[in-house]
C-alpha cells in the first residue's frame, strides 16, 4: 500500500506513524512545505513569554529522527500544487530546486493544516507585525521584542491564541491591549456573561481589552508605531495578529474535491468525496458529536485523534471518528478557562429546550492553603436532562471539570448519572462533594423546582426589574438592599410582604439558597436566588439617597472612588491619565462617562489625575466598565504606590530627560506591577525633567530629576573678561577664578544651561543623568526630600533604586507612617546605604510574600 500524506505537524505525522505500526510493509511518504515536520504549535505563545526557552524545545521531531523512529519517509521543502484524483497523482513544487515533481499514491491523506489570516488592514506589512502559527513566527516575535525594547503591544483578536499571546507579552513586561471586532472575547467559545467575567479578570491583571472595536490601520513608517481603531489610536511597538486561520487548501480548487469555505468535509472514516482521498486535522470539516452537524474544530488534540483513527481505518480496522465537542482550555493571567460541548446560544440554535445553571464553588477544601474557586456554567436539555455543555473559569484546574463533562457527554449521560460519581477527594485536590457534582445538584434542584433562580445572563438582561433585593450575606454587603440575618430568620420578616418579589443575593449563592428555602416555609411565594451571587454579578440597587455603609465606602475607595461627604451616596471617581496625557478619543470617553454616570463635571487633581464628579454608588460599576472598554483605568487611592506624576520633560525648553517615557515605565512597573502590594502608607513618585522642579519631586516620597553635568576643559578656557558660562548660570555658581572658569560641583544643580555656551568650547561636553530624592512630603506635615549622593547615569539603576525604596518601605516601615517618617527614623545614611546595596532586591520575594498585616494609613 502506497500512502502519500500532504502535511505533517499533528494529523499527518500521527497518521503516518500509526500506519507504519499497523503495517510495516506500507510505503508511507510525507510531503511538507517547511523544514519542520512536527512542532508544538500550542506552545508558541509560551516561547514568546520565555517559559519555553529554546526553539529545540518546540520541535517534536526532526525529519531524520521521525523517519528513524517510524519508518515513514519525509520530504521537506515540497509544496503540493495540484491533485489529479483520476490518475492518483499529486504534483508538488520542490522549493529548493524550483522543479515540479509528481507523486503517485494508492491512498492520499490531506493534512495541510491552516495558516493565520492577516486581515486587509492598511500597514500590516510593516516591521513589527507578527502572526503566531509556526516556530519561526514565535522566534521572530521574541527576537523583535528583545532587539527593539518594545513597551506597547496590540493583539488583534481575542480568541485562545490571541489571549495566550497577550498573557505572554504581559509576562515580558509589555503594556498590552487586545482588540476584537466581536462584542466579546472568545466569541463562539464562551457565552456572553462568562466572557464578560473573564474580560474583567484580564483587565484587573493589566491587559487592556477593547471589544466591538476594529483595527482600521497599522501606523508607522516601515516600522509599526501605533494602531488606529474606531475608539482612537493606540501606541504599539509590536502588533500580533490573531484574527483567525484559513485552511491550506487553495491548491485543491478544480480538483473535484468538495470543499466548504476551504475546509474539506469528511465522513466518520475521514473519507472525502473522492475515492481513496482522505483529510484530517485543521483542514478537515468533521461533525459535532452532539448534533451531528458539520463543525470545523482546528485543535491539536482532535488533529492527533483524527490522524490515528484514519490510520487504523486505512489498515483494515473498523474504526470511526465520532466527531468533536469543541473542547478547549486556555491559561490566562490569574485565570484559566475551559469549555466543551454547546454554548447556551448554540444549544438553543440547535433546537434544544435549554436550561442552565451557574455556580461559584471552592475548587478544593476551603481551608487548604492554595484553595481558590470555580465559576461553572452547565448547559442541559430540559426534556431529557442530558448534559450539553460546560464552561468553567477559575485560577486552578478547570481542565478536570471539563474532562468530567467530556466523558459524560460522550457517553450520553443525564444529570442524574453524575449524582454519586465516586470522584477523587482529598483537601489538596477537591472538595468532599466534587465541584462538578455540586454544579449538577444546583441544576437538578432548579429542574425539580427546589430552587427558583435567575441566571447572570437573565439578570444582565433586566429580568430582575421590579424585584426587591434581599442581602443574605453574613454582614450587609449590597448597598441599598434589605439586609436579613439568615441565622436569626425564624418567621416572617418585618417589612417584607409575603407577596413581594424578592431577589435574594449573597457572596457566592449558598446562603441565598438557604434563605429562599426558609422564606418559602414562612409563606413567601415569589423569591429568586441570583446564581453566581455578588462574586460573579455586579449587583446594583436603585436606592437614590440611601446612605452607603462604611465598609462599602472603604471598598470602593480602593477602586478609586472617594465619597463626597456632602451626600449620602455620591462619589468622585479617579481616572488614571498617564500624567494628564490622553488621546482625543479617551478625553471624549471621559466626558461622555461624566455625562452618563456622574454629574457631568470633571476636575483635575494636583497629580494630573481626572476625577469624574457626583457618581451615584449604583453607577460605580457601570462607569468602570464603560471606561475599561475605552481602555481607561480607575484607581490611584489607598496605601499603595500611587500613579506617577511628571512635568512636560523634553517638550519644555529646559527639559533634560523624556519624563513621559520614564514615568510611563515607572507607572507600568510599580503602579501596575505593585498594585496588590500593601504599604504602610501611600507612596508618591514624581519625575522632573530638570532641576527647576516644577512638579516638586523633592516633595514626594521619591522624586527623580533629570541632570546634565557639565564637563569643563580648562585648556580651552580663554579667561574672557565677560564669561558666557558665568553669565548663563541661573544660580550663579559658575565663576571665574584665577583666570579660569570654575563650577563648584557641590553647589551646581546640573541644569545644563551652560553646556555649549562657551564660544571656545570649554564647556561643550556633558554627562546626562538622574538625581533621586527620597523622603519628601506635602500636606499636613511638609518634609523636603534629600537627594542621594550619587548622580545616576543608568536608567535601569534608577528603576532598581525606586523598587528598593518601595521594598524598604514595606519591609521596615510602620503602619500609618509616611516614607519620610521611615527615613527619619532609620536615618538617611542607613537608608541610602540600603538603596545602593543589592540586599533589598535579593530578598524581594520573601518581602512581598510576608504577611505584614498592615492596615495602611492613606485616607485619600
Amino acid at each position: 500500500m502506497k500512502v502519500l500524506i500532504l502535511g505533517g505537524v499533528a494529523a499527518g505525522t500521527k497518521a503516518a506513524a500509526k500506519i507504519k505500526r499497523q503495517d510495516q510493509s506500507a510505503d508511507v511518504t510525507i510531503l511538507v512545505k517547511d523544514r519542520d515536520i512536527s512542532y508544538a504549535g500550542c506552545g508558541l505563545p509560551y516561547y514568546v513569554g520565555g517559559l519555553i526557552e529554546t526553539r529545540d524545545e518546540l520541535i517534536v521531531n526532526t525529519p531524520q529522527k521521525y523517519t528513524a523512529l517510524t519508518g515513514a519517509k519525509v520530504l521537506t521543502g515540497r509544496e503540493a500544487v495540484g491533485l489529479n484524483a483520476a490518475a492518483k497523482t499529486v504534483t508538488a513544487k520542490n522549493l529548493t530546486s524550483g522543479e515540479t515533481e509528481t507523486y503517485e499514491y494508492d491512498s492520499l491523506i490531506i493534512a495541510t493544516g491552516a495558516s493565520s489570516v492577516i486581515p486587509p488592514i492598511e500597514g500590516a506589512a510593516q516591521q513589527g507585525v507578527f502572526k503566531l502559527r509556526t516556530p519561526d513566527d514565535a522566534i521572530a516575535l521574541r527576537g523583535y521584542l528583545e532587539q527593539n525594547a518594545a513597551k506597547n503591544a496590540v493583539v488583534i483578536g481575542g480568541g485562545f491564541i490571541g489571549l495566550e499571546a497577550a498573557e505572554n507579552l504581559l509576562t515580558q513586561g509589555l503594556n498590552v491591549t487586545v482588540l476584537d471586532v466581536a462584542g466579546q472575547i472568545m466569541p463562539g467559545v464562551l457565552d456572553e456573561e462568562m466572557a464578560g467575567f473573564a474580560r474583567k479578570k484580564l483587565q484587573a491583571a493589566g491587559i487592556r481589552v477593547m471589544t466591538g472595536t476594529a483595527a482600521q490601520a497599522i501606523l508607522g513608517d516601515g516600522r509599526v508605531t501605533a494602531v488606529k481603531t474606531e475608539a482612537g489610536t493606540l501606541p504599539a511597538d509590536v502588533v500580533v495578529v490573531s484574527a483567525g486561520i484559513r485552511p491550506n487548501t487553495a491548491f485543491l480548487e478544480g480538483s473535484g474535491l468538495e470543499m466548504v469555505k476551504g475546509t474539506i468535509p469528511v465522513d466518520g472514516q475521514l473519507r472525502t468525496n473522492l475515492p481513496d482521498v482522505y483529510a484530517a486535522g485543521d483542514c478537515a470539516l468533521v461533525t459535532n458529536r452532539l448534533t451531528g452537524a458539520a463543525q470545523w474544530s482546528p485543535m491539536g488534540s482532535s488533529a492527533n485523534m483524527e490522524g490515528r483513527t484514519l490510520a487504523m481505518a486505512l489498515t483494515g480496522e473498523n474504526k470511526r471518528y465520532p466527531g468533536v465537542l469543541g473542547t478547549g482550555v486556555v491559561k490566562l493571567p490569574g485565570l484559566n478557562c475551559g469549555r466543551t460541548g454547546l454554548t447556551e446560544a448554540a444549544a438553543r440554535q440547535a433546537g434544544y429546550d435549554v436550561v442552565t445553571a451557574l455556580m461559584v464553588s471552592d475548587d478544593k477544601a476551603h481551608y487548604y492553603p492554595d484553595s481558590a474557586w470555580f465559576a461553572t456554567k452547565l448547559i442541559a436539555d430540559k426534556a431529557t436532562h442530558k448534559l450539553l455543555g460546560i464552561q468553567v473559569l477559575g485560577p486552578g484546574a478547570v481542565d478536570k471539570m471539563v474532562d468530567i463533562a467530556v466523558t459524560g457527554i460522550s457517553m450520553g449521560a443525564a444529570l442524574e448519572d453524575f449524582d454519586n460519581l465516586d470522584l477523587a477527594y482529598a483537601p489538596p485536590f477537591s472538595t468532599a462533594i466534587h465541584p462538578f457534582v455540586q454544579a449538577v445538584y444546583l441544576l437538578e434542584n432548579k429542574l425539580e423546582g427546589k430552587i427558583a433562580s435567575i441566571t447572570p445572563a437573565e439578570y444582565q438582561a433586566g429580568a430582575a426589574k421590579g424585584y426587591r433585593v434581599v442581602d443574605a450575606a453574613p454582614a450587609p454587603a449590597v448597598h441599598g438592599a434589605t439586609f436579613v440575618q439568615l441565622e436569626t430568620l425564624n418567621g416572617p420578616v418585618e417589612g417584607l410582604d409575603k407577596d413581594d418579589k424578592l431577589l435574594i443575593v449573597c457572596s457566592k449563592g449558598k446562603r441565598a439558597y438557604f434563605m429562599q428555602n426558609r422564606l418559602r416555609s414562612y409563606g413567601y411565594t415569589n423569591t429568586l436566588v441570583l446564581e453566581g451571587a455578588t462574586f460573579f454579578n455586579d449587583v446594583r440597587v436603585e436606592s437614590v439617597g440611601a446612605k452607603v455603609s462604611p465598609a462599602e465606602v472603604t471598598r470602593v475607595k480602593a477602586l478609586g472612588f472617594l465619597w463626597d461627604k456632602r451626600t449620602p451616596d455620591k462619589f468622585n471617581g479617579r481616572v488614571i491619565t498617564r500624567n494628564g496625557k490622553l488621546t482625543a478619543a479617551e478625553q471624549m470617553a471621559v466626558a461622555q462617562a461624566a455625562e452618563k454616570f456622574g454629574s457631568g463635571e470633571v476636575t483635575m487633581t494636583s497629580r494630573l489625575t481626572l476625577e469624574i464628579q457626583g457618581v451615584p454608588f449604583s453607577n460605580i460599576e457601570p462607569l468602570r466598565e464603560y471606561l475599561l472598554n475605552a481602555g481607561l483605568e480607575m484607581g490611584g487611592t489607598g496605601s499603595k504606590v500611587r500613579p506617577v506624576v511628571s512635568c512636560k520633560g523634553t517638550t519644555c525648553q529646559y527639559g533634560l530627560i523624556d519624563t513621559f517615557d520614564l514615568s510611563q515605565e515607572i507607572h507600568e512597573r510599580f503602579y501596575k506591577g505593585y498594585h496588590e502590594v500593601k504599604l504602610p502608607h501611600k507612596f508618591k513618585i514624581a519625575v522632573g525633567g530638570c532641576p527647576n522642579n516644577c512638579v516638586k519631586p523633592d516633595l514626594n516620597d521619591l522624586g527623580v530629576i533629570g541632570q546634565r553635568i557639565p564637563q569643563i576643559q580648562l585648556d580651552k578656557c580663554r579667561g574672557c573678561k565677560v564669561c558666557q558660562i558665568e553669565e548663563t548660570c541661573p544660580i550663579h555658581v559658575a565663576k571665574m577664578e584665577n583666570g579660569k572658569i570654575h563650577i563648584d560641583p557641590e553647589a551646581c544643580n546640573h541644569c545644563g544651561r551652560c553646556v555649549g555656551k562657551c564660544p571656545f568650547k570649554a564647556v561643550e561636553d556633558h554627562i546626562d543623568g538622574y538625581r533621586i530624592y527620597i523622603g519628601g512630603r506635602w500636606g499636613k506635615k511638609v518634609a523636603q526630600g534629600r537627594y542621594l549622593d550619587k548622580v545616576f547615569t543608568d536608567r535601569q539603576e534608577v528603576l532598581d533604586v525606586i523598587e528598593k525604596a518601595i521594598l524598604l518601605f514595606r519591609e521596615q516601615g510602620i503602619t500609618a507612617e509616611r516614607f519620610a517618617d521611615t527615613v527619619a527614623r532609620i536615618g538617611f545614611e542607613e537608608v541610602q546605604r540600603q538603596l545602593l546595596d543589592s540586599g533589598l532586591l535579593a530578598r524581594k520575594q520573601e518581602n512581598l510574600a510576608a504577611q505584614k498585616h498592615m492596615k495602611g494609613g492613606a485616607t485619600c
Side-chain angles (χ1 to χ4, degrees), residues 79-95:
E79 181 181 5
V81 294
L83 165 64
N84 186 333
K88 287 196 169 185
T89 60
V90 167
T91 52
K93 182 178 181 181
N94 186 319
L95 299 179

mmCIF file of all heavy atoms in Angstrom, residues 79-95:
data_model
loop_
_atom_site.group_PDB
_atom_site.id
_atom_site.type_symbol
_atom_site.label_atom_id
_atom_site.label_comp_id
_atom_site.label_asym_id
_atom_site.label_seq_id
_atom_site.Cartn_x
_atom_site.Cartn_y
_atom_site.Cartn_z
ATOM 1 N N GLU A 79 5.969 21.717 -1.715
ATOM 2 C CA GLU A 79 4.652 22.336 -1.604
ATOM 3 C C GLU A 79 3.717 21.738 -2.641
ATOM 4 O O GLU A 79 3.952 21.851 -3.848
ATOM 5 C CB GLU A 79 4.742 23.845 -1.819
ATOM 6 C CG GLU A 79 3.393 24.534 -1.696
ATOM 7 C CD GLU A 79 3.476 26.028 -1.932
ATOM 8 O OE1 GLU A 79 4.581 26.526 -2.281
ATOM 9 O OE2 GLU A 79 2.450 26.716 -1.769
ATOM 10 N N ALA A 80 2.664 21.060 -2.140
ATOM 11 C CA ALA A 80 1.685 20.472 -3.053
ATOM 12 C C ALA A 80 0.985 21.576 -3.831
ATOM 13 O O ALA A 80 0.540 22.570 -3.263
ATOM 14 C CB ALA A 80 0.674 19.649 -2.285
ATOM 15 N N VAL A 81 0.883 21.390 -5.177
ATOM 16 C CA VAL A 81 0.276 22.430 -6.011
ATOM 17 C C VAL A 81 -0.882 21.894 -6.847
ATOM 18 O O VAL A 81 -1.594 22.682 -7.480
ATOM 19 C CB VAL A 81 1.330 23.083 -6.939
ATOM 20 C CG1 VAL A 81 2.362 23.845 -6.130
ATOM 21 C CG2 VAL A 81 2.001 22.036 -7.839
ATOM 22 N N GLY A 82 -1.115 20.579 -6.840
ATOM 23 C CA GLY A 82 -2.227 20.057 -7.633
ATOM 24 C C GLY A 82 -2.531 18.618 -7.313
ATOM 25 O O GLY A 82 -1.661 17.852 -6.877
ATOM 26 N N LEU A 83 -3.805 18.223 -7.553
ATOM 27 C CA LEU A 83 -4.250 16.849 -7.329
ATOM 28 C C LEU A 83 -4.972 16.361 -8.583
ATOM 29 O O LEU A 83 -5.884 17.031 -9.088
ATOM 30 C CB LEU A 83 -5.207 16.787 -6.129
ATOM 31 C CG LEU A 83 -6.046 15.512 -5.975
ATOM 32 C CD1 LEU A 83 -5.156 14.286 -5.733
ATOM 33 C CD2 LEU A 83 -7.064 15.677 -4.835
ATOM 34 N N ASN A 84 -4.571 15.192 -9.081
ATOM 35 C CA ASN A 84 -5.268 14.514 -10.173
ATOM 36 C C ASN A 84 -5.811 13.217 -9.596
ATOM 37 O O ASN A 84 -5.112 12.203 -9.533
ATOM 38 C CB ASN A 84 -4.324 14.238 -11.338
ATOM 39 C CG ASN A 84 -5.048 13.666 -12.549
ATOM 40 O OD1 ASN A 84 -6.083 13.023 -12.426
ATOM 41 N ND2 ASN A 84 -4.494 13.905 -13.730
ATOM 42 N N ALA A 85 -7.079 13.259 -9.166
ATOM 43 C CA ALA A 85 -7.668 12.105 -8.477
ATOM 44 C C ALA A 85 -7.845 10.928 -9.422
ATOM 45 O O ALA A 85 -7.754 9.763 -8.996
ATOM 46 C CB ALA A 85 -9.006 12.501 -7.860
ATOM 47 N N ALA A 86 -8.114 11.202 -10.685
ATOM 48 C CA ALA A 86 -8.304 10.101 -11.640
ATOM 49 C C ALA A 86 -7.012 9.329 -11.857
ATOM 50 O O ALA A 86 -7.007 8.088 -11.939
ATOM 51 C CB ALA A 86 -8.831 10.662 -12.972
ATOM 52 N N ALA A 87 -5.895 10.078 -11.937
ATOM 53 C CA ALA A 87 -4.598 9.423 -12.147
ATOM 54 C C ALA A 87 -3.938 9.014 -10.847
ATOM 55 O O ALA A 87 -2.895 8.351 -10.857
ATOM 56 C CB ALA A 87 -3.673 10.369 -12.918
ATOM 57 N N LYS A 88 -4.547 9.426 -9.740
ATOM 58 C CA LYS A 88 -3.990 9.168 -8.414
ATOM 59 C C LYS A 88 -2.569 9.707 -8.289
ATOM 60 O O LYS A 88 -1.627 9.005 -7.902
ATOM 61 C CB LYS A 88 -4.031 7.674 -8.066
ATOM 62 C CG LYS A 88 -5.420 7.154 -7.739
ATOM 63 C CD LYS A 88 -5.364 5.803 -7.040
ATOM 64 C CE LYS A 88 -6.726 5.442 -6.480
ATOM 65 N NZ LYS A 88 -6.693 4.200 -5.695
ATOM 66 N N THR A 89 -2.424 10.983 -8.642
ATOM 67 C CA THR A 89 -1.119 11.639 -8.533
ATOM 68 C C THR A 89 -1.280 13.021 -7.894
ATOM 69 O O THR A 89 -2.332 13.663 -8.005
ATOM 70 C CB THR A 89 -0.442 11.808 -9.901
ATOM 71 O OG1 THR A 89 -1.280 12.611 -10.751
ATOM 72 C CG2 THR A 89 -0.146 10.476 -10.563
ATOM 73 N N VAL A 90 -0.208 13.447 -7.265
ATOM 74 C CA VAL A 90 -0.118 14.791 -6.698
ATOM 75 C C VAL A 90 1.114 15.449 -7.285
ATOM 76 O O VAL A 90 2.188 14.818 -7.371
ATOM 77 C CB VAL A 90 -0.011 14.758 -5.159
ATOM 78 C CG1 VAL A 90 0.392 16.122 -4.612
ATOM 79 C CG2 VAL A 90 -1.320 14.307 -4.543
ATOM 80 N N THR A 91 0.979 16.694 -7.731
ATOM 81 C CA THR A 91 2.150 17.446 -8.177
ATOM 82 C C THR A 91 2.572 18.389 -7.063
ATOM 83 O O THR A 91 1.735 18.969 -6.350
ATOM 84 C CB THR A 91 1.853 18.250 -9.449
ATOM 85 O OG1 THR A 91 0.683 19.047 -9.247
ATOM 86 C CG2 THR A 91 1.639 17.333 -10.628
ATOM 87 N N ALA A 92 3.871 18.512 -6.902
ATOM 88 C CA ALA A 92 4.417 19.356 -5.840
ATOM 89 C C ALA A 92 5.610 20.134 -6.377
ATOM 90 O O ALA A 92 6.331 19.663 -7.275
ATOM 91 C CB ALA A 92 4.833 18.513 -4.645
ATOM 92 N N LYS A 93 5.809 21.308 -5.819
ATOM 93 C CA LYS A 93 6.948 22.131 -6.203
ATOM 94 C C LYS A 93 8.070 21.911 -5.208
ATOM 95 O O LYS A 93 7.869 21.998 -3.991
ATOM 96 C CB LYS A 93 6.544 23.605 -6.236
ATOM 97 C CG LYS A 93 7.667 24.535 -6.679
ATOM 98 C CD LYS A 93 7.185 25.977 -6.733
ATOM 99 C CE LYS A 93 8.299 26.904 -7.206
ATOM 100 N NZ LYS A 93 7.845 28.321 -7.251
ATOM 101 N N ASN A 94 9.252 21.595 -5.732
ATOM 102 C CA ASN A 94 10.436 21.486 -4.895
ATOM 103 C C ASN A 94 10.945 22.898 -4.635
ATOM 104 O O ASN A 94 11.433 23.574 -5.548
ATOM 105 C CB ASN A 94 11.508 20.648 -5.602
ATOM 106 C CG ASN A 94 12.711 20.375 -4.715
ATOM 107 O OD1 ASN A 94 13.169 21.254 -3.987
ATOM 108 N ND2 ASN A 94 13.223 19.148 -4.794
ATOM 109 N N LEU A 95 10.805 23.354 -3.411
ATOM 110 C CA LEU A 95 11.115 24.750 -3.094
ATOM 111 C C LEU A 95 12.610 25.030 -3.095
ATOM 112 O O LEU A 95 13.021 26.198 -3.096
ATOM 113 C CB LEU A 95 10.500 25.113 -1.735
ATOM 114 C CG LEU A 95 8.971 25.004 -1.657
ATOM 115 C CD1 LEU A 95 8.482 25.363 -0.260
ATOM 116 C CD2 LEU A 95 8.307 25.875 -2.704
#
